[in-house]
PDB file of all heavy atoms in Angstrom:
ATOM      1  N   PRO A 381     126.276 -56.801 -30.285  1.00  0.00           N
ATOM      2  CA  PRO A 381     127.215 -56.762 -31.453  1.00  0.00           C
ATOM      3  C   PRO A 381     128.638 -56.576 -31.043  1.00  0.00           C
ATOM      4  O   PRO A 381     129.579 -57.018 -31.706  1.00  0.00           O
ATOM      5  CB  PRO A 381     126.640 -55.572 -32.284  1.00  0.00           C
ATOM      6  CG  PRO A 381     126.051 -54.693 -31.295  1.00  0.00           C
ATOM      7  CD  PRO A 381     125.348 -55.635 -30.303  1.00  0.00           C
ATOM      8  N   ARG A 394     127.641 -64.207 -36.504  1.00  0.00           N
ATOM      9  CA  ARG A 394     126.922 -63.004 -36.934  1.00  0.00           C
ATOM     10  C   ARG A 394     127.024 -62.774 -38.447  1.00  0.00           C
ATOM     11  O   ARG A 394     126.114 -62.296 -39.085  1.00  0.00           O
ATOM     12  CB  ARG A 394     127.513 -61.773 -36.219  1.00  0.00           C
ATOM     13  CG  ARG A 394     126.945 -61.588 -34.847  1.00  0.00           C
ATOM     14  CD  ARG A 394     127.487 -60.213 -34.241  1.00  0.00           C
ATOM     15  NE  ARG A 394     127.043 -59.152 -35.108  1.00  0.00           N
ATOM     16  CZ  ARG A 394     125.881 -58.581 -35.171  1.00  0.00           C
ATOM     17  NH1 ARG A 394     124.953 -58.891 -34.269  1.00  0.00           N
ATOM     18  NH2 ARG A 394     125.657 -57.537 -35.925  1.00  0.00           N
ATOM     19  N   GLU A 395     128.214 -63.124 -38.935  1.00  0.00           N
ATOM     20  CA  GLU A 395     128.536 -62.854 -40.363  1.00  0.00           C
ATOM     21  C   GLU A 395     127.637 -63.782 -41.253  1.00  0.00           C
ATOM     22  O   GLU A 395     127.498 -63.483 -42.457  1.00  0.00           O
ATOM     23  CB  GLU A 395     129.976 -63.112 -40.660  1.00  0.00           C
ATOM     24  CG  GLU A 395     130.836 -61.958 -40.066  1.00  0.00           C
ATOM     25  CD  GLU A 395     132.314 -62.204 -40.216  1.00  0.00           C
ATOM     26  OE1 GLU A 395     132.735 -63.270 -40.664  1.00  0.00           O
ATOM     27  OE2 GLU A 395     133.139 -61.285 -39.942  1.00  0.00           O
ATOM     28  N   ASN A 397     124.664 -64.067 -40.860  1.00  0.00           N
ATOM     29  CA  ASN A 397     123.520 -63.135 -41.019  1.00  0.00           C
ATOM     30  C   ASN A 397     122.174 -63.853 -41.216  1.00  0.00           C
ATOM     31  O   ASN A 397     121.344 -63.514 -42.029  1.00  0.00           O
ATOM     32  CB  ASN A 397     123.764 -62.221 -42.278  1.00  0.00           C
ATOM     33  CG  ASN A 397     123.132 -60.962 -42.203  1.00  0.00           C
ATOM     34  OD1 ASN A 397     122.988 -60.362 -41.036  1.00  0.00           O
ATOM     35  ND2 ASN A 397     122.789 -60.293 -43.354  1.00  0.00           N
ATOM     36  N   TRP A 399     120.344 -64.655 -38.164  1.00  0.00           N
ATOM     37  CA  TRP A 399     119.760 -64.561 -36.863  1.00  0.00           C
ATOM     38  C   TRP A 399     118.413 -63.813 -36.919  1.00  0.00           C
ATOM     39  O   TRP A 399     117.586 -63.897 -36.023  1.00  0.00           O
ATOM     40  CB  TRP A 399     120.656 -63.866 -35.877  1.00  0.00           C
ATOM     41  CG  TRP A 399     121.313 -62.530 -36.323  1.00  0.00           C
ATOM     42  CD1 TRP A 399     122.458 -62.353 -36.938  1.00  0.00           C
ATOM     43  CD2 TRP A 399     120.660 -61.277 -36.203  1.00  0.00           C
ATOM     44  NE1 TRP A 399     122.652 -61.042 -37.211  1.00  0.00           N
ATOM     45  CE2 TRP A 399     121.595 -60.360 -36.778  1.00  0.00           C
ATOM     46  CE3 TRP A 399     119.466 -60.757 -35.655  1.00  0.00           C
ATOM     47  CZ2 TRP A 399     121.300 -58.952 -36.825  1.00  0.00           C
ATOM     48  CZ3 TRP A 399     119.194 -59.445 -35.744  1.00  0.00           C
ATOM     49  CH2 TRP A 399     120.105 -58.547 -36.299  1.00  0.00           C
ATOM     50  N   GLN A 400     118.249 -62.999 -37.977  1.00  0.00           N
ATOM     51  CA  GLN A 400     117.007 -62.200 -38.073  1.00  0.00           C
ATOM     52  C   GLN A 400     115.732 -63.038 -38.065  1.00  0.00           C
ATOM     53  O   GLN A 400     114.678 -62.628 -37.451  1.00  0.00           O
ATOM     54  CB  GLN A 400     117.064 -61.258 -39.327  1.00  0.00           C
ATOM     55  CG  GLN A 400     118.118 -60.257 -39.287  1.00  0.00           C
ATOM     56  CD  GLN A 400     119.397 -60.768 -39.912  1.00  0.00           C
ATOM     57  OE1 GLN A 400     119.501 -61.934 -40.121  1.00  0.00           O
ATOM     58  NE2 GLN A 400     120.312 -59.807 -40.215  1.00  0.00           N
ATOM     59  N   GLY A 436     112.048 -57.633 -42.228  1.00  0.00           N
ATOM     60  CA  GLY A 436     112.606 -56.678 -43.237  1.00  0.00           C
ATOM     61  C   GLY A 436     113.384 -55.532 -42.625  1.00  0.00           C
ATOM     62  O   GLY A 436     114.418 -55.129 -43.060  1.00  0.00           O
ATOM     63  N   LYS A 437     112.839 -55.020 -41.505  1.00  0.00           N
ATOM     64  CA  LYS A 437     113.589 -53.853 -40.881  1.00  0.00           C
ATOM     65  C   LYS A 437     114.879 -54.308 -40.235  1.00  0.00           C
ATOM     66  O   LYS A 437     115.887 -53.556 -40.183  1.00  0.00           O
ATOM     67  CB  LYS A 437     112.674 -53.265 -39.846  1.00  0.00           C
ATOM     68  CG  LYS A 437     111.443 -52.544 -40.412  1.00  0.00           C
ATOM     69  CD  LYS A 437     110.683 -51.718 -39.412  1.00  0.00           C
ATOM     70  CE  LYS A 437     109.520 -51.014 -40.126  1.00  0.00           C
ATOM     71  NZ  LYS A 437     108.776 -50.134 -39.167  1.00  0.00           N
ATOM     72  N   LEU A 438     114.889 -55.527 -39.639  1.00  0.00           N
ATOM     73  CA  LEU A 438     116.130 -56.039 -39.052  1.00  0.00           C
ATOM     74  C   LEU A 438     117.186 -56.214 -40.082  1.00  0.00           C
ATOM     75  O   LEU A 438     118.380 -55.985 -39.800  1.00  0.00           O
ATOM     76  CB  LEU A 438     115.783 -57.354 -38.348  1.00  0.00           C
ATOM     77  CG  LEU A 438     115.004 -57.339 -37.028  1.00  0.00           C
ATOM     78  CD1 LEU A 438     114.742 -58.739 -36.500  1.00  0.00           C
ATOM     79  CD2 LEU A 438     115.757 -56.456 -35.989  1.00  0.00           C
ATOM     80  N   ALA A 439     116.776 -56.690 -41.234  1.00  0.00           N
ATOM     81  CA  ALA A 439     117.815 -56.867 -42.321  1.00  0.00           C
ATOM     82  C   ALA A 439     118.476 -55.580 -42.691  1.00  0.00           C
ATOM     83  O   ALA A 439     119.638 -55.503 -42.956  1.00  0.00           O
ATOM     84  CB  ALA A 439     117.152 -57.566 -43.489  1.00  0.00           C
ATOM     85  N   ARG A 440     117.658 -54.508 -42.722  1.00  0.00           N
ATOM     86  CA  ARG A 440     118.180 -53.185 -43.130  1.00  0.00           C
ATOM     87  C   ARG A 440     119.037 -52.625 -42.048  1.00  0.00           C
ATOM     88  O   ARG A 440     120.023 -51.941 -42.312  1.00  0.00           O
ATOM     89  CB  ARG A 440     117.005 -52.193 -43.430  1.00  0.00           C
ATOM     90  CG  ARG A 440     116.266 -52.563 -44.732  1.00  0.00           C
ATOM     91  CD  ARG A 440     115.362 -51.450 -45.146  1.00  0.00           C
ATOM     92  NE  ARG A 440     114.271 -51.315 -44.236  1.00  0.00           N
ATOM     93  CZ  ARG A 440     113.053 -51.999 -44.324  1.00  0.00           C
ATOM     94  NH1 ARG A 440     112.984 -52.877 -45.282  1.00  0.00           N
ATOM     95  NH2 ARG A 440     112.144 -51.763 -43.451  1.00  0.00           N
ATOM     96  N   LEU A 441     118.739 -52.920 -40.779  1.00  0.00           N
ATOM     97  CA  LEU A 441     119.553 -52.377 -39.687  1.00  0.00           C
ATOM     98  C   LEU A 441     120.792 -53.197 -39.355  1.00  0.00           C
ATOM     99  O   LEU A 441     121.707 -52.645 -38.757  1.00  0.00           O
ATOM    100  CB  LEU A 441     118.722 -52.278 -38.373  1.00  0.00           C
ATOM    101  CG  LEU A 441     117.537 -51.286 -38.451  1.00  0.00           C
ATOM    102  CD1 LEU A 441     116.664 -51.524 -37.257  1.00  0.00           C
ATOM    103  CD2 LEU A 441     118.105 -49.894 -38.438  1.00  0.00           C
ATOM    104  N   SER A 442     120.838 -54.447 -39.770  1.00  0.00           N
ATOM    105  CA  SER A 442     121.984 -55.294 -39.355  1.00  0.00           C
ATOM    106  C   SER A 442     123.290 -54.827 -39.932  1.00  0.00           C
ATOM    107  O   SER A 442     124.339 -54.916 -39.267  1.00  0.00           O
ATOM    108  CB  SER A 442     121.682 -56.794 -39.747  1.00  0.00           C
ATOM    109  OG  SER A 442     121.592 -56.754 -41.225  1.00  0.00           O
ATOM    110  N   ASP A 443     123.223 -54.219 -41.144  1.00  0.00           N
ATOM    111  CA  ASP A 443     124.484 -53.770 -41.728  1.00  0.00           C
ATOM    112  C   ASP A 443     125.063 -52.617 -40.946  1.00  0.00           C
ATOM    113  O   ASP A 443     126.295 -52.468 -40.725  1.00  0.00           O
ATOM    114  CB  ASP A 443     124.201 -53.280 -43.149  1.00  0.00           C
ATOM    115  CG  ASP A 443     123.846 -54.496 -44.081  1.00  0.00           C
ATOM    116  OD1 ASP A 443     124.198 -55.644 -43.669  1.00  0.00           O
ATOM    117  OD2 ASP A 443     123.271 -54.247 -45.127  1.00  0.00           O
ATOM    118  N   ASP A 444     124.247 -51.750 -40.436  1.00  0.00           N
ATOM    119  CA  ASP A 444     124.653 -50.600 -39.598  1.00  0.00           C
ATOM    120  C   ASP A 444     125.302 -51.058 -38.324  1.00  0.00           C
ATOM    121  O   ASP A 444     126.356 -50.533 -37.902  1.00  0.00           O
ATOM    122  CB  ASP A 444     123.500 -49.627 -39.367  1.00  0.00           C
ATOM    123  CG  ASP A 444     122.952 -49.057 -40.581  1.00  0.00           C
ATOM    124  OD1 ASP A 444     123.678 -48.962 -41.602  1.00  0.00           O
ATOM    125  OD2 ASP A 444     121.726 -48.658 -40.539  1.00  0.00           O
ATOM    126  N   ILE A 445     124.670 -52.056 -37.731  1.00  0.00           N
ATOM    127  CA  ILE A 445     125.276 -52.623 -36.498  1.00  0.00           C
ATOM    128  C   ILE A 445     126.621 -53.209 -36.715  1.00  0.00           C
ATOM    129  O   ILE A 445     127.518 -52.982 -35.922  1.00  0.00           O
ATOM    130  CB  ILE A 445     124.219 -53.603 -35.863  1.00  0.00           C
ATOM    131  CG1 ILE A 445     122.898 -52.919 -35.528  1.00  0.00           C
ATOM    132  CG2 ILE A 445     124.803 -54.253 -34.553  1.00  0.00           C
ATOM    133  CD1 ILE A 445     121.834 -53.967 -35.152  1.00  0.00           C
ATOM    134  N   ALA A 446     126.674 -53.998 -37.850  1.00  0.00           N
ATOM    135  CA  ALA A 446     128.008 -54.706 -38.054  1.00  0.00           C
ATOM    136  C   ALA A 446     129.024 -53.622 -38.345  1.00  0.00           C
ATOM    137  O   ALA A 446     130.231 -53.814 -37.850  1.00  0.00           O
ATOM    138  CB  ALA A 446     127.814 -55.551 -39.344  1.00  0.00           C
ATOM    139  N   ASP A 447     128.731 -52.567 -39.082  1.00  0.00           N
ATOM    140  CA  ASP A 447     129.794 -51.599 -39.388  1.00  0.00           C
ATOM    141  C   ASP A 447     130.224 -50.934 -38.035  1.00  0.00           C
ATOM    142  O   ASP A 447     131.448 -50.572 -37.935  1.00  0.00           O
ATOM    143  CB  ASP A 447     129.172 -50.510 -40.291  1.00  0.00           C
ATOM    144  CG  ASP A 447     128.923 -51.095 -41.699  1.00  0.00           C
ATOM    145  OD1 ASP A 447     129.469 -52.212 -42.009  1.00  0.00           O
ATOM    146  OD2 ASP A 447     128.172 -50.538 -42.470  1.00  0.00           O
ATOM    147  N   LEU A 448     129.293 -50.656 -37.129  1.00  0.00           N
ATOM    148  CA  LEU A 448     129.601 -50.021 -35.894  1.00  0.00           C
ATOM    149  C   LEU A 448     130.551 -50.853 -35.046  1.00  0.00           C
ATOM    150  O   LEU A 448     131.599 -50.394 -34.568  1.00  0.00           O
ATOM    151  CB  LEU A 448     128.341 -49.671 -35.135  1.00  0.00           C
ATOM    152  CG  LEU A 448     128.449 -48.764 -33.937  1.00  0.00           C
ATOM    153  CD1 LEU A 448     128.932 -47.357 -34.366  1.00  0.00           C
ATOM    154  CD2 LEU A 448     127.114 -48.646 -33.191  1.00  0.00           C
ATOM    155  N   ALA A 449     130.213 -52.191 -34.973  1.00  0.00           N
ATOM    156  CA  ALA A 449     131.042 -53.084 -34.159  1.00  0.00           C
ATOM    157  C   ALA A 449     132.426 -53.272 -34.832  1.00  0.00           C
ATOM    158  O   ALA A 449     133.450 -53.295 -34.141  1.00  0.00           O
ATOM    159  CB  ALA A 449     130.371 -54.370 -34.083  1.00  0.00           C
ATOM    160  N   GLN A 450     132.487 -53.294 -36.198  1.00  0.00           N
ATOM    161  CA  GLN A 450     133.716 -53.471 -36.840  1.00  0.00           C
ATOM    162  C   GLN A 450     134.632 -52.201 -36.631  1.00  0.00           C
ATOM    163  O   GLN A 450     135.874 -52.308 -36.366  1.00  0.00           O
ATOM    164  CB  GLN A 450     133.482 -53.613 -38.336  1.00  0.00           C
ATOM    165  CG  GLN A 450     134.768 -53.858 -39.251  1.00  0.00           C
ATOM    166  CD  GLN A 450     135.491 -55.059 -38.782  1.00  0.00           C
ATOM    167  OE1 GLN A 450     134.839 -56.110 -38.525  1.00  0.00           O
ATOM    168  NE2 GLN A 450     136.830 -55.010 -38.660  1.00  0.00           N
ATOM    169  N   SER A 451     134.071 -51.007 -36.655  1.00  0.00           N
ATOM    170  CA  SER A 451     134.861 -49.789 -36.406  1.00  0.00           C
ATOM    171  C   SER A 451     135.401 -49.852 -35.024  1.00  0.00           C
ATOM    172  O   SER A 451     136.570 -49.404 -34.781  1.00  0.00           O
ATOM    173  CB  SER A 451     134.025 -48.548 -36.622  1.00  0.00           C
ATOM    174  OG  SER A 451     132.978 -48.503 -35.713  1.00  0.00           O
TER     175      SER A 451
END
Side-chain angles (χ1 to χ4, degrees):
R394 278 189 57 82
E395 289 173 352
N397 212 27
W399 51 267
Q400 295 91 345
K437 293 190 177 183
L438 288 176
R440 290 192 291 274
L441 291 172
S442 60
D443 293 339
D444 297 336
I445 298 171
D447 292 343
L448 192 62
Q450 182 62 43
S451 65

